[in-house]
Amino acid sequence: MSTGPQTQLNPRIRQNMEQMLEAQLDSLQSQLQSSNVALRKTAQSVARTISDDLETLQHLSRKTTRDLKEEVAQRKAEIECLTQELEVQRLRHSKIVTQRAVALILTGIALAGLMAAFSAFLGAKVATMPPPEPPIQLIPEQLTGSRTIRGVGGLGQMVVLPPGLSPARCPIGTGTNRTCLKME
């Protein structure tokens, strides 16, 4: 027996190994072919599905586009109809506003004329009226020695108090249009 490395395998072991390798290669080739067939079938099925989906998508896209075009056309017609109605209303309102503005202006002119005529009438009436006579005020007995001074044309009067009398605040509750005096 030799103790060194063997460079050759036993011919039987070699033959068994070659048979096992061939069997494994055949098995791998058989699996590869069945995988290829299954892969080919899957790829064909995917291709058919993609083709069908693309056709369905194309059909849906055309239908959606057609529906959108119809809706846009319908909305456009509605907008044009509303625009025409608004234009008619605008013209009608413009006419009404113009008529009312003219009526207001003419009414204002007529009212101004009436006011001018009335003012002229009142001015003529006041001009022909005699001036009012100043009211005669009675001076109480305690105010003897006082005198009344009247303005030009009787437009005002002033009472000059006698010495020893001066104006004072009136007590609460004495009424209006009263003058209170106090002795100094």
Side-chain angles (χ1 to χ4, degrees), residues 5 9 16 22 40 46 55 89 107-108 111 113 120 130 137 140 145 171 179:
L9 285 174
N16 279 344
E22 269 184 47
R40 191 175 296 132
V46 167
E55 286 179 21
Q89 286 181 358
T107 303
L111 188 59
Q137 293 190 359
T179 305

Side-chain angles (χ1 to χ4, degrees), residues 75-92:
R75 293 285 169 94
K76 180 182 175 189
E78 290 174 0
I79 289 171
E80 287 174 351
C81 181
L82 289 174
T83 303
Q84 289 174 353
E85 288 177 13
L86 285 174
E87 183 64 22
V88 167
Q89 286 181 358
R90 185 191 67 79
L91 291 173
R92 187 174 52 222

Side-chain angles (χ1 to χ4, degrees), residues 20 51 67 72 87 105-106 125 152 165 168 174 178:
M20 277 179 41
S51 176
D67 291 347
V72 166
E87 183 64 22
I105 291 171
L106 291 177
K125 180 109 173 148
V152 178
L165 283 178
T174 56
R178 292 185 179 254

Side-chain angles (χ1 to χ4, degrees), residues 2-184:
S2 68
T3 56
Q6 293 183 355
T7 55
Q8 289 187 352
L9 285 174
N10 188 350
R12 235 197 237 173
I13 293 176
R14 182 183 281 174
Q15 187 179 6
N16 279 344
M17 283 190 66
E18 285 177 2
Q19 284 177 354
M20 277 179 41
L21 276 174
E22 269 184 47
Q24 283 181 350
L25 282 175
D26 287 343
S27 172
L28 282 174
Q29 189 157 358
S30 160
Q31 288 177 358
L32 187 59
Q33 284 178 348
S34 66
S35 291
N36 277 344
V37 169
L39 189 59
R40 191 175 296 132
K41 285 182 182 179
T42 304
Q44 288 173 349
S45 173
V46 167
R48 274 193 304 267
T49 304
I50 289 173
S51 176
D52 292 345
D53 288 350
L54 284 176
E55 286 179 21
T56 304
L57 181 63
Q58 188 177 18
H59 175 71
L60 286 174
S61 175
R62 285 182 187 149
K63 184 180 181 296
T64 304
T65 303
R66 187 173 48 248
D67 291 347
L68 282 174
K69 283 181 181 179
E70 289 173 2
E71 187 175 348
V72 166
Q74 182 182 1
R75 293 285 169 94
K76 180 182 175 189
E78 290 174 0
I79 289 171
E80 287 174 351
C81 181
L82 289 174
T83 303
Q84 289 174 353
E85 288 177 13
L86 285 174
E87 183 64 22
V88 167
Q89 286 181 358
R90 185 191 67 79
L91 291 173
R92 187 174 52 222
H93 289 319
S94 175
K95 184 178 179 182
I96 289 171
V97 167
T98 303
Q99 288 173 348
R100 287 192 178 170
V102 168
L104 283 174
I105 291 171
L106 291 177
T107 303
I109 291 172
L111 188 59
L114 284 173
M115 288 178 69
F118 186 68
S119 296
F121 171 74
L122 281 179
K125 180 109 173 148
V126 169
T128 58
M129 284 177 46
E133 293 188 19
I136 300 174
Q137 293 190 359
L138 300 174
I139 300 173
E141 295 175 8
Q142 290 101 357
L143 295 178
T144 53
S146 65
R147 54 193 173 118
T148 302
I149 301 173
R150 297 193 190 281
V152 178
L155 292 176
Q157 70 181 22
M158 184 171 85
V159 176
V160 178
L161 297 173
L165 283 178
S166 63
R169 291 183 179 231
C170 293
I172 297 175
T174 56
T176 59
N177 295 328
R178 292 185 179 254
T179 305
C180 297
L181 302 172
K182 69 176 179 177
M183 299 277 291
E184 295 181 349

